[in-house]
Amino acid sequence: QSTWGESFHFISPMSTSAEDDKKSPVDVLERALTLDRFGDNEFRSKSLWKPTMARGVFGGQLIGQGLVACKSTVPKDLPVHSLHCYFVDRGDPSVQVDYKVSRLRDGKSFATRSLSGNQNGKAMFAMVASFHRQEDQKSVRLQYQQTMPVVPPPDTVPSREDQYRALLNREG
């Protein structure tokens, strides 16, 4: 009797060529996230794959491709710090995804992007990503967090049971 992992393959390969079977996992990942670019804000998937027994395209690949598209529209020193995705409809792995990035905000420290993924002119994926430049701690004026108070090490504090005993002994 075989186990679940032996009887089912969750992700089918993106290609059946013997050449692709020889590639490293990094090469396969790079291929999965590579997009064609058309102008400043429009991109198209080069490959899609569908997990075995799934209804549509692998959502993680859509997220990765969407992030690649959004990130390519902001300066290199702005890493992503917030990402929200919505799977509007299942994707067809035989149809390329057209991604359109909208530049919602380009500030000194922050940039915000909205992305729509479409197949055959119909929305199937949406994303909002925010990017934030790391700030020099010396230049940060606002601090929203209080300084940690000085407290004893955890192993020197009486246990909850010992605290209850001490309380009962005082009252009794």
Side-chain angles (χ1 to χ4, degrees), residues 49-79:
W49 80 89
K50 177 185 146 214
T52 304
M53 300 174 54
R55 294 182 327 140
V57 174
F58 178 57
Q61 186 179 20
L62 296 175
I63 293 169
Q65 289 179 346
L67 183 56
V68 166
C70 289
K71 177 62 182 145
S72 69
T73 68
V74 300
K76 292 187 185 310
D77 64 338
L78 288 177

Side-chain angles (χ1 to χ4, degrees), residues 148-159 163:
M148 176 72 178
V150 178
V151 295
D155 55 347
T156 64
V157 177
S159 69
Q163 291 175 6

Side-chain angles (χ1 to χ4, degrees), residues 13-149:
M14 292 186 298
S15 169
T16 57
S17 76
E19 191 85 13
D20 282 347
D21 291 341
K22 297 176 186 173
K23 292 186 177 180
S24 75
V26 172
D27 291 334
V28 172
L29 179 63
E30 185 176 319
R31 181 172 176 223
L33 299 179
T34 299
L35 302 170
D36 287 327
R37 187 171 191 159
F38 304 95
D40 291 336
N41 302 311
E42 294 184 23
F43 304 83
R44 179 171 289 146
S45 63
K46 291 183 86 133
S47 65
L48 296 170
W49 80 89
K50 177 185 146 214
T52 304
M53 300 174 54
R55 294 182 327 140
V57 174
F58 178 57
Q61 186 179 20
L62 296 175
I63 293 169
Q65 289 179 346
L67 183 56
V68 166
C70 289
K71 177 62 182 145
S72 69
T73 68
V74 300
K76 292 187 185 310
D77 64 338
L78 288 177
V80 66
H81 81 101
S82 174
L83 180 79
H84 300 272
C85 302
Y86 304 91
F87 298 98
V88 180
D89 201 357
R90 70 176 179 211
D92 180 347
S94 66
V95 178
Q96 293 175 316
V97 178
D98 293 320
Y99 295 104
K100 181 162 183 170
V101 177
S102 297
R103 298 168 186 244
L104 302 180
R105 180 175 194 269
D106 281 314
K108 193 168 124 182
S109 298
F110 287 90
T112 307
R113 299 294 184 260
S114 172
L115 172 131
S116 63
N118 301 291
Q119 286 184 321
N120 297 322
K122 185 178 175 190
M124 45 82 75
F125 178 70
M127 173 187 286
V128 176
S130 180
F131 301 85
H132 179 243
R133 179 173 287 114
Q134 195 68 16
E135 297 176 15
D136 178 17
Q137 291 301 317
K138 293 177 184 172
S139 67
V140 176
R141 290 176 245 214
L142 298 175
Q143 292 292 333
Y144 298 102
Q145 191 170 335
Q146 294 181 352
T147 305
M148 176 72 178

